[in-house]
Amino acid sequence: MLYGSAPDAPDSDLQAIVDDVATRYPGVWGIVVKKLATGQYAAYNGDVQQVSASLYKLWVLAELYRQVSTGSLSMASSVTVSSSDAYYDAVLGVVRVAPGSAITLQKAAELMIQLSDNTTAALLVRILGPDNINRFMQQNGLRSSVLNWSGSGDNLTTPLDVLRELEMMATSQMVNAESSRAMVDMMLGQQINNRLPQGLPPGARIAHKTGDLGSLLHDVGIVYGPSGPYVIVVMASQLRSYGHSYDVTADLAATTYEYFNSVPSSPARYFPETRQTVGHDFLKIWNEYGGLNAFGFPIGPEQVRGGLLVQQFERARMELHPELGSAGGPQPAVGLGLLGLERSQQLGLSWGRSPNSGQGHYFEATGQEVSGDFLAYWENHGGERLFGLPISPAADMVSPADGKTYRTQWFERARMEYHPELPEGERVVLGLLGAEMAVSR
């Protein structure tokens, strides 16, 4: 599922829930909770480092998918377990994969995440390289986390760093959308479910990872509830009893789940840049499907047009369609206006059907093909719901926004432009159709 994340919005009631746990029970607690769609946020000792225990395996997983995305590794590749890989589990007497055994990287990752297997974790660190893992963590903003593979120190992290990594996974930003989905799916298959999941109602889904070592007990995850996902990070150290911590963690999971899902939320955000406010379902879609990059700033208030509640943004127009309310997906009653069709008609542009070159995705309904960077952007940022179908081939065009020529492709609801001067990964930009339409009226 594709989600976005709103800016952190401290929530005093949520903070009271977190503080109650952190201050009433024995141990040193580090807790962060954030609802993605609304930004509702609370933290206790969020920036205090703790020993990560097996939470470091999330960093290993992310670097694995990064190297797979570059083509240097394949999840189907088979590797051989060494005696040094199995050393720690041999000491514990829980070796699942014996030295000399062959195992695929896919299976190694599953064992590492879903059973917290140490042998496969050591194997993956050896193959990926601890320096590469640390470098990728730093690139993703995990500034207070370190994988110390020298044997002379601890692996360290903070609840806020863990929140950032899970937030990136949940919003399809960790490596890329496909890799993020694969990582979340793997975590949904977690087999160690004696902490956070114990506090969730039947049917609630949580993609999570545990960690325990000595007097440490952690559980962190993404909870998918009726009102949308939220991230919960619970790290505890200096505990007197594991059993007590199991109960406390489960109680916190139950309380936060009830808090987020018992009362429908109606968030609103004021944008001083344009002096406009976006609220309710429009804001949820704005957050879930890309925020500023996808929609731009709001340039007008909510208003009724043609019997529909609409709001204009720089790059799109949101419309509330009550008849779509029974459809699946987040905020299904919100649709996007056909600005690509409307603006192209306004400019007198039309295109015939294009041949299918077989180099991308051909849309028979409109007779157009999408490939390369435009196809990757279309697939990773909302697809047909956000952009509609292509209505033109990709071709050089002078942008109405700045008068420069860019590789451009029109869609029913958007216009994509390729800007080679921007950093890699950010070169596809959506045209300012909403702003152009507003000026031309």
Side-chain angles (χ1 to χ4, degrees):
M1 300 177 71
L2 180 63
Y3 294 97
S5 184
D8 295 348
D11 182 325
S12 59
D13 292 332
L14 181 63
Q15 188 66 52
I17 293 171
V18 169
D19 288 347
D20 181 62
V21 168
T23 58
R24 276 207 302 133
Y25 296 101
V28 175
W29 295 84
I31 301 172
V32 181
V33 184
K34 181 177 179 180
K35 180 76 176 294
L36 298 184
T38 62
Q40 292 166 272
Y41 170 90
Y44 186 91
N45 285 339
D47 57 356
V48 175
Q49 276 187 324
Q50 295 197 40
V51 174
S52 72
S54 287
L55 297 186
Y56 81 86
K57 294 166 185 173
L58 293 175
W59 313 333
V60 179
L61 185 67
E63 173 62 14
L64 172 62
Y65 274 96
R66 186 197 69 79
Q67 293 194 23
V68 168
S69 73
T70 67
S72 58
L73 292 176
S74 166
M75 295 297 281
S77 297
S78 182
V79 292
T80 301
V81 177
S82 71
S83 57
S84 61
D85 295 334
Y87 174 78
Y88 186 70
D89 278 341
V91 172
L92 297 177
V94 289
V95 176
R96 297 183 178 89
V97 187
S101 301
I103 187 172
T104 65
L105 294 180
Q106 175 71 36
K107 185 62 177 178
E110 291 172 355
L111 289 173
M112 176 183 71
I113 294 299
Q114 297 174 352
L115 293 174
S116 207
D117 184 76
N118 298 305
T119 298
T120 49
L123 177 149
L124 289 171
V125 172
R126 172 168 59 84
I127 291 172
L128 300 172
D131 289 344
N132 291 328
I133 295 169
N134 277 315
R135 187 178 303 111
F136 191 52
M137 290 158 48
Q138 291 292 314
Q139 290 172 354
N140 284 298
L142 278 66
R143 307 297 185 196
S144 301
S145 299
V146 60
L147 178 69
N148 187 333
W149 214 245
S150 66
S152 61
D154 293 317
N155 304 320
L156 301 173
T157 191
T158 66
L160 286 175
D161 272 10
V162 177
L163 168 70
R164 177 168 179 80
E165 182 169 14
L166 294 178
E167 197 172 11
M168 291 181 72
M169 289 181 182
T171 56
S172 300
Q173 298 178 76
M174 181 56 73
V175 183
N176 54 40
E178 181 181 1
S179 298
S180 293
R181 285 193 292 268
M183 286 184 267
V184 169
D185 284 344
M186 196 174 292
M187 292 165 63
L188 284 167
Q190 177 63 248
Q191 300 299 301
I192 304 173
N193 293 312
N194 56 0
R195 294 160 223 186
L196 288 172
Q198 292 298 308
L200 301 177
R205 305 182 75 204
I206 177 171
H208 70 119
K209 180 71 189 77
T210 61
D212 50 81
L213 180 68
S215 63
L216 307 172
L217 195 71
H218 309 326
D219 200 0
V220 305
I222 309 160
V223 179
Y224 295 91
S227 66
Y230 64 93
V231 174
I232 181 168
V233 176
V234 183
M235 300 176 63
S237 59
Q238 299 181 29
L239 295 171
R240 300 175 186 172
S241 154
Y242 266 8
H244 182 74
S245 183
Y246 289 147
D247 294 339
V248 173
T249 301
D251 286 345
L252 180 62
T255 306
T256 53
Y257 188 93
E258 174 68 16
Y259 179 73
F260 286 135
N261 294 291
S262 61
V263 179
S265 59
S266 296
R269 180 178 173 185
Y270 176 70
F271 292 82
E273 296 85 353
T274 56
R275 299 185 179 181
Q276 300 294 335
T277 297
V278 182
H280 311 289
D281 290 339
F282 289 164
L283 181 59
K284 292 179 181 179
I285 286 291
W286 194 91
N287 287 323
E288 288 164 358
Y289 283 92
L292 194 61
N293 290 335
F295 304 109
F297 290 112
I299 56 175
E302 291 183 357
Q303 56 184 292
V304 176
R305 184 185 300 171
L308 293 175
L309 183 65
V310 304
Q311 187 162 17
Q312 194 81 283
F313 294 77
E314 291 177 306
R315 306 178 191 277
R317 182 180 67 239
M318 292 190 190
E319 303 173 348
L320 189 64
H321 291 262
E323 73 278 7
L324 300 178
S326 61
Q331 308 309 318
V334 176
L336 296 184
L338 298 168
L339 284 186
L341 282 171
E342 294 170 15
R343 180 59 172 159
S344 62
Q345 291 169 2
Q346 188 182 66
L347 294 173
L349 300 174
S350 63
W351 302 270
R353 296 176 70 86
S354 300
N356 182 359
S357 72
Q359 300 301 308
H361 186 166
Y362 188 77
F363 294 82
E364 188 65 39
T366 59
Q368 304 295 343
E369 184 178 45
V370 186
S371 61
D373 291 294
F374 289 156
L375 179 60
Y377 192 92
W378 190 90
E379 291 178 334
N380 290 329
H381 293 82
E384 184 175 351
R385 174 164 190 180
L386 188 60
F387 309 113
L389 301 181
I391 58 174
S392 83
D396 289 344
M397 176 183 170
V398 176
S399 170
D402 61 12
K404 297 180 181 179
T405 299
Y406 301 105
R407 195 70 174 170
T408 301
Q409 188 160 19
W410 290 76
F411 294 77
E412 292 172 313
R413 307 177 191 279
R415 183 182 69 231
M416 292 187 191
E417 301 169 358
Y418 184 78
H419 289 243
E421 75 280 4
L422 296 178
E424 186 176 355
E426 302 175 14
R427 292 173 181 166
V428 176
V429 175
L430 297 184
L432 297 166
L433 293 182
E436 293 171 21
M437 293 288 288
V439 170
S440 66
R441 293 186 186 280

